[in-house]
């Protein structure tokens, strides 16, 4: 499956229907784009730093998640849009978790902060 198709497939479900494995897959897809495209524009470096921090803080327990998709072929409008859309879905997932009341206050604040951080990452690609 190519990269754009993979991002669309992950985004097909609404963010409030995601689980941690789907979210970890989205993080992995976003990081793969950064790995492949960093160096072409400083925006990718800013994006990558945000995504690596999110992975380390919230998805360290999901190192075994693998996404079977080709790396993005080039840094173009379509790729940036796909990555930004993916990250926006991930931000909505974290907003949902922050508002759901399932976790304690500290964890809900982590999710809220993650949503804001993910939006900064997506904005870096605009």
């Amino acid at each position: 499956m190519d990269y754009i198709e993979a991002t669309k497939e992950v985004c097909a479900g609404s963010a409030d229907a995601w689980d941690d494995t789907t979210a970890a897959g989205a993080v992995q897809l976003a990081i793969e784009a950064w790995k492949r495209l960093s160096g072409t524009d400083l925006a990718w470096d800013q994006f990558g730093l945000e995504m690596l921090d999110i992975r380390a803080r919230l998805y360290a327990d999901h190192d075994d998640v693998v996404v079977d998709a080709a790396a993005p072929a080039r840094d173009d409008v379509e790729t940036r849009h796909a990555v930004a859309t993916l990250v926006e879905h991930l931000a909505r997932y974290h907003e949902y978790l922050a508002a759901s009341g399932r976790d304690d206050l500290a964890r809900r604040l982590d999710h809220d902060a993650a949503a804001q951080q993910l939006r900064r990452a997506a904005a870096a690609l605009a």
Side-chain angles (χ1 to χ4, degrees):
M1 167 180 319
D2 82 348
Y3 186 83
I4 303 295
E5 282 179 35
T7 61
K8 288 178 181 177
E9 190 168 313
V10 170
C11 291
S14 65
D16 61 345
W18 281 18
D19 58 17
D20 281 349
T21 303
T22 304
V27 169
Q28 186 60 35
L29 272 172
I31 289 173
E32 286 302 316
W34 165 72
K35 285 180 184 177
R36 172 70 176 199
L37 301 172
S38 65
T40 60
D41 185 337
L42 290 177
W44 283 108
D45 292 332
Q46 181 182 352
F47 173 83
L49 290 173
E50 301 285 8
M51 295 309 302
L52 290 172
D53 182 61
I54 292 287
R55 182 177 66 181
R57 283 188 308 110
L58 299 172
Y59 295 98
D61 295 342
H62 291 84
D63 286 340
D64 57 344
V65 173
V66 176
V67 179
D68 188 20
R74 63 194 166 281
D75 184 8
D76 59 11
V77 172
E78 184 180 22
T79 301
R80 285 186 181 221
H81 177 70
V83 174
T85 300
L86 178 71
V87 171
E88 178 59 34
H89 274 75
L90 190 57
R92 279 189 243 144
Y93 172 65
H94 282 282
E95 278 181 341
Y96 167 76
L97 292 176
S100 72
R102 295 187 316 196
D103 295 318
D104 64 15
L105 178 61
R107 188 70 172 160
R108 290 193 327 259
L109 290 173
D110 280 344
H111 289 300
D112 186 60
Q116 293 175 37
Q117 189 173 6
L118 288 160
R119 290 215 164 84
R120 279 195 311 269
L125 298 180

